[in-house]
Amino acid sequence: RDCEANVVIAGRRDGTELAGRLGATFCRADVSDEESVANLMQVAVDSYGPIDAVVNCAGVNRGYDTLMESAAGNFGFNYSSNTMGLVFGIKHGASRMNPDGGSIVNVSSAAAYLGSPNEYIDYAATKGAVDKQAETTRKSGILRDLAKATEVPVICLVQMNREIEKGGRDDAGFLKRLPQTSDLRDAGEI
């Protein structure tokens, strides 16, 4: 069947048949490789014009280990696909976006928030990094838009609102309440 949008599907394995059933275009790409992601985005532009939306949804997990059993190679593999793939997707997708605007959707996992006691530590850590990268990118865009709208350079120096520490610390010395973005706003810094 035909899609209502022009879609490019990417993957390490051949997805030509699936793309054909969806009325989409397939491009072989490895999101852990920046050049491959740049090529993917260029294929989309060459096929359909400026990009309106990018969906970063890579999710791999090599190894279901505890922290003490995890291998550095497994963590590196997971991080390069899950986290760096998102970074490359944002970088090369945003630079080819429709000048009238577009969207980037970053897909994470509940593992980023729930953790994964005694299993797939690597995966949960990479998805936590995905969430923070997406949040940081969003905030950077807000500041860039503010600079454009006011035609004034915006430099943001942020100091955490010290009120957060008044909630006390636990027996191990950690804050009882984790800092939130709202703590920065409450401090009048953003």
Side-chain angles (χ1 to χ4, degrees):
R1 73 185 176 128
D2 291 330
C3 295
E4 292 182 21
N6 296 317
V7 176
V8 177
I9 297 173
R12 289 184 179 137
R13 292 186 297 262
D14 187 18
T16 306
E17 182 183 334
L18 172 63
R21 288 196 318 252
L22 297 173
T25 299
F26 176 75
C27 178
R28 188 178 298 269
D30 177 352
V31 297
S32 69
D33 178 68
E34 184 172 6
E35 188 175 314
S36 184
V37 175
N39 180 63
L40 164 65
M41 299 301 173
Q42 194 58 50
V43 165
V45 169
D46 292 346
S47 298
Y48 303 113
I51 296 172
D52 292 312
V54 172
V55 179
N56 290 309
C57 61
V60 299
N61 184 37
R62 181 181 287 169
Y64 285 82
D65 303 322
T66 66
L67 179 63
M68 301 309 285
E69 297 167 336
S70 64
N74 289 348
F75 189 88
F77 176 81
N78 294 339
Y79 187 83
S80 67
S81 291
N82 297 346
T83 308
M84 293 310 298
L86 173 123
V87 170
F88 300 149
I90 293 170
K91 178 180 177 181
H92 294 287
S95 65
R96 292 167 174 84
M97 280 277 164
N98 186 326
D100 295 330
S103 298
I104 296 178
V105 178
N106 298 308
V107 179
S108 183
S109 169
Y113 298 99
L114 302 175
S116 50
N118 298 315
E119 62 181 352
Y120 60 94
I121 299 296
D122 308 353
Y123 176 80
T126 65
K127 288 304 185 175
V130 160
D131 288 353
K132 285 301 170 188
Q133 180 62 49
E135 180 181 344
T136 301
T137 301
R138 182 185 59 77
K139 289 177 184 173
S140 297
I142 291 169
L143 291 174
R144 188 175 45 253
D145 291 346
L146 176 62
K148 284 181 183 177
T150 61
E151 297 182 0
V152 174
V154 173
I155 299 172
C156 183
L157 302 174
V158 177
Q159 181 177 1
M160 185 59 66
N161 182 346
R162 303 317 267 181
E163 290 294 313
I164 186 93
E165 294 184 359
K166 291 182 180 177
R169 295 180 178 267
D170 63 19
D171 293 337
F174 294 103
L175 292 173
K176 288 184 178 177
R177 184 176 80 79
L178 293 175
Q180 304 293 314
T181 304
S182 60
D183 294 313
L184 299 175
R185 288 192 197 105
D186 291 346
E189 299 296 335
I190 292 183

